[in-house]
Amino acid sequence: MKSAVDRLQEKSGKYFRVVRSDVHTKFGTALKMGVESKIVPTFILYSGDKDEVMRFHSVPDLERIKSLLAELNKS
């Protein structure tokens, strides 16, 4: 799983930022509870207004994320 996340982070470049949190730490546990996630991994795509746009429970496809971001930018 880590290598898939590494690839996504490397390819994300100018499109978005990948933020990782270790759910086995105090902060990671608090964050997981804060976003109400019971599944690991969880990827959450937020809009510029900090609204949740989409939630993934596997490493999302870069093209899918870019498509979602393009739709957001049209609004």
Side-chain angles (χ1 to χ4, degrees), residues 6 9 11 14 24 31-32 37-38 50 60-61 75:
D6 289 344
Q9 189 167 20
K11 293 178 183 178
K14 63 182 178 180
H24 301 293
L31 181 61
K32 186 173 96 167
S37 176
K38 294 181 171 100
K50 301 178 185 169
D61 177 69
S75 311

Side-chain angles (χ1 to χ4, degrees), residues 4-13 16-20:
V5 177
D6 289 344
R7 283 191 301 275
L8 178 65
Q9 189 167 20
E10 288 170 14
K11 293 178 183 178
S12 65
F16 56 90
R17 182 175 17 184
V18 174
V19 178
R20 298 178 187 209

Side-chain angles (χ1 to χ4, degrees), residues 19-36:
V19 178
R20 298 178 187 209
S21 176
D22 181 349
V23 296
H24 301 293
T25 65
K26 193 173 189 177
F27 173 78
T29 299
L31 181 61
K32 186 173 96 167
M33 291 173 58
V35 298
E36 300 177 355

Side-chain angles (χ1 to χ4, degrees), residues 2 8 17 22 49 53 55 60 63 69 74:
K2 182 183 179 310
L8 178 65
R17 182 175 17 184
D22 181 349
D49 297 330
V53 175
R55 189 175 285 230
E63 294 307 314
L69 290 172
K74 288 180 187 176

